[in-house]
Amino acid sequence: MLSSEERRQLSAIEAWTSADDPAFAAGLAKGRPRAPRRDRRWPLQLLVALATGFALFSLVASQPIGLVLGAVVACAAAVADQVRARRRHGSPSVVGRLHRRDGFQPF
């Protein structure tokens, strides 16, 4: 059974989630949550795919400018996708890994 403090914290989390992303909160209440709005990575991944396709097309068409441009855009979008994912979900530092090995779990 949850203590009154834990119930209060759970209610605060529920209120924050409902205010931040109502569609996610509704899906969670139904038992079928979808990815939170800020975790949707498809736009950057689509850009990587399109830029890679453009670079390959330019390679076949012998257009070096298009090849370089497509490769640069694809790499930049891939890096941006990884940076965004790490910022959102956290990238464990060496200190964090050491603490987890000792049983420490940060909130």
Side-chain angles (χ1 to χ4, degrees):
M1 191 71 186
L2 296 175
S3 69
S4 61
E5 176 64 20
E6 289 171 332
R7 276 185 252 145
R8 186 191 63 76
Q9 288 176 344
L10 188 59
S11 295
I13 292 170
E14 182 181 357
W16 177 82
T17 303
S18 295
D20 184 54
D21 194 348
F24 174 70
L28 195 58
K30 291 178 185 175
R32 293 173 294 168
R34 64 183 205 175
R37 180 179 47 225
R38 63 179 163 262
D39 284 348
R40 296 189 191 120
R41 298 169 58 188
W42 69 266
L44 283 174
Q45 292 171 346
L46 179 64
L47 182 60
V48 169
L50 290 175
T52 302
F54 179 72
L56 291 175
F57 176 76
S58 297
L59 178 67
V60 171
S62 299
Q63 297 294 324
I65 300 286
L67 174 62
V68 171
L69 181 65
V72 168
V73 170
C75 288
V79 168
D81 184 48
Q82 287 300 308
V83 168
R84 184 176 183 272
R86 286 185 181 183
R87 281 187 183 158
R88 178 59 49 203
H89 299 292
S91 176
S93 65
V94 173
V95 174
R97 286 191 294 259
L98 291 174
H99 283 298
R100 279 198 268 301
R101 190 179 310 147
D102 296 332
F104 173 74
Q105 292 294 323
F107 176 74

